[in-house]
């Protein structure tokens, strides 16, 4: 059974600080997704990582994928309040195109 | 990108009743999925909606409780049957087009249906 684990589950950080969210998964997969969810809203796609060593950046967020370690990271640089949301990683389950989600990391950026 | 319309956006239902949720996509898509997000939780895959045939359910979900239809490549419905308060969740439709090389790795989500069962 594919398991996807995120940590931390909750992160409270001050504006301007840096931090990393970790996503571990239990089976071989080379497709890893990061989504953002604002309260009461649906999911917004942030990054799609398709190969070992992939790195993508958008604004203050940078995602990377290490398929050998079965690990993806979402790094936040100089956090701002607008980044407060819940972040999910998800992994494709074999070749079925079904996404299995991590538990989510609720991020709160304090002034 | 695919634009997904889900109806209703929210509903409050009585125990023992059923609710059908509709998912309409603005273009033909290969894969359609239904997810459940319980309050404060992550997303759990309910089933894959297969066009013209029975849906494929994940462990813990059964057709009698969550019947799904997919009559064509742009539309699907999920019914939550004989509801109880434990069914209170957000139900999300999700789509992917696997035949398009550029788009096959992008999965879109609808806005969700927020269901409360009293």
């Amino acid at each position: 059974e594919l398991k996807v684990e995120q940590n931390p589950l909750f992160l409270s950080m001050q504006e301007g600080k840096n931090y990393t969210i970790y996503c571990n998964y239990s089976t071989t997969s080379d497709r890893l997704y990061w989504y953002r969810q604002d309260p009461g809203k649906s999911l917004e796609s942030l990054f799609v990582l398709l190969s070992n060593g992939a790195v993508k950046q958008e604004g203050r967020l940078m995602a990377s994928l290490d398929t050998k370690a079965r690990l993806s990271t979402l790094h936040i640089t100089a956090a701002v309040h607008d980044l407060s949301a819940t972040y999910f990683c998800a992994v494709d389950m074999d070749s079925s195109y079904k996404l299995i989600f991590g538990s989510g990391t609720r991020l709160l950026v304090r002034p | 990108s695919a634009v997904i319309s889900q109806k209703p956006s929210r509903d409050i239902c009585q125990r023992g009743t059923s609710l059908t949720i509709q998912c309409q996509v603005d273009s033909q898509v290969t894969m359609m999925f239904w997810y459940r997000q319980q309050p404060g939780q992550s997303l759990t895959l309910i089933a894959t909606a297969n066009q013209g045939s029975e849906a494929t359910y994940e462990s813990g979900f059964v057709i009698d409780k969550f019947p799904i239809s997919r009559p064509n490549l742009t539309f699907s419905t999920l019914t939550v049957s004989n509801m109880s308060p434990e069914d209170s969740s957000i139900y999300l439709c999700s789509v992917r087009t696997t035949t398009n090389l550029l788009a096959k790795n992008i999965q879109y989500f609808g806005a969700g249906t927020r269901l409360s069962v009293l």
Side-chain angles (χ1 to χ4, degrees), chain A residues 33 35 37 40 42 97-98 102, chain B residues 37 42 58 105 107 110 114:
Chain A
Y33 304 77
Y35 287 89
Q37 186 178 40
S42 188
Y97 297 103
K98 295 187 271 192
Chain B
Q37 186 177 25
S42 185
E58 297 301 310
N105 293 308
Q107 188 150 336
R114 284 152 185 79

Side-chain angles (χ1 to χ4, degrees), chain A:
Chain A
E1 180 188 349
L2 172 59
K3 291 185 178 178
V4 183
E5 295 181 345
Q6 270 181 254
N7 68 84
L9 299 182
F10 178 72
L11 176 56
S12 177
M13 58 190 298
Q14 276 190 307
E15 281 191 329
K17 299 292 187 181
N18 303 332
Y19 208 83
T20 300
I21 299 170
Y22 297 88
C23 175
N24 289 90
Y25 54 97
S26 64
T27 191
T28 55
S29 177
D30 56 3
R31 294 196 296 266
L32 191 292
Y33 304 77
W34 285 97
Y35 287 89
R36 167 178 171 151
Q37 186 178 40
D38 290 290
K41 304 289 185 182
S42 188
L43 279 75
E44 174 192 354
S45 178
L46 294 175
F47 301 108
V48 180
L49 303 169
L50 300 177
S51 60
N52 185 40
V55 177
K56 291 196 174 179
Q57 182 164 5
E58 181 74 32
R60 301 176 186 273
L61 300 177
M62 183 174 71
S64 66
L65 177 62
D66 181 344
T67 58
K68 294 179 181 178
R70 300 179 185 174
L71 170 69
S72 180
T73 61
L74 181 66
H75 187 74
I76 303 156
T77 302
V80 293
H81 178 70
D82 285 351
L83 290 179
S84 297
T86 299
Y87 294 85
F88 292 97
C89 66
V91 177
D92 264 331
M93 190 166 95
D94 52 63
S95 58
S96 64
Y97 297 103
K98 295 187 271 192
L99 288 187
I100 306 302
F101 281 79
S103 52
T105 297
R106 186 180 161 208
L107 172 65
L108 175 64
V109 181
R110 297 176 279 111

Side-chain angles (χ1 to χ4, degrees), chain A residues 37-42, chain B residues 6 8-12 19 21 37 88-92 111-116:
Chain A
Q37 186 178 40
D38 290 290
K41 304 289 185 182
S42 188
Chain B
Q6 257 188 259
S9 58
R10 61 179 66 240
D11 207 340
I12 300 173
L19 175 72
I21 302 168
Q37 186 177 25
S88 298
S89 295
I90 300 173
Y91 293 86
L92 297 110
T113 296
R114 284 152 185 79
L115 171 62
S116 296

Side-chain angles (χ1 to χ4, degrees), chain B residues 58-118:
Chain B
E58 297 301 310
S59 177
F61 298 96
V62 294
I63 187 171
D64 289 347
K65 177 66 175 177
F66 297 102
I68 288 171
S69 78
R70 188 179 173 192
N72 56 51
L73 294 177
T74 64
F75 186 77
S76 178
T77 65
L78 168 74
T79 299
V80 186
S81 303
N82 188 25
M83 287 184 284
S84 66
E86 292 72 32
D87 294 321
S88 298
S89 295
I90 300 173
Y91 293 86
L92 297 110
C93 173
S94 179
V95 304
R96 189 190 288 206
T97 299
T98 59
T99 54
N100 183 325
L101 283 179
L102 294 178
K104 71 173 184 176
N105 293 308
I106 302 174
Q107 188 150 336
Y108 301 95
F109 285 82
T113 296
R114 284 152 185 79
L115 171 62
S116 296
V117 183
L118 305 179

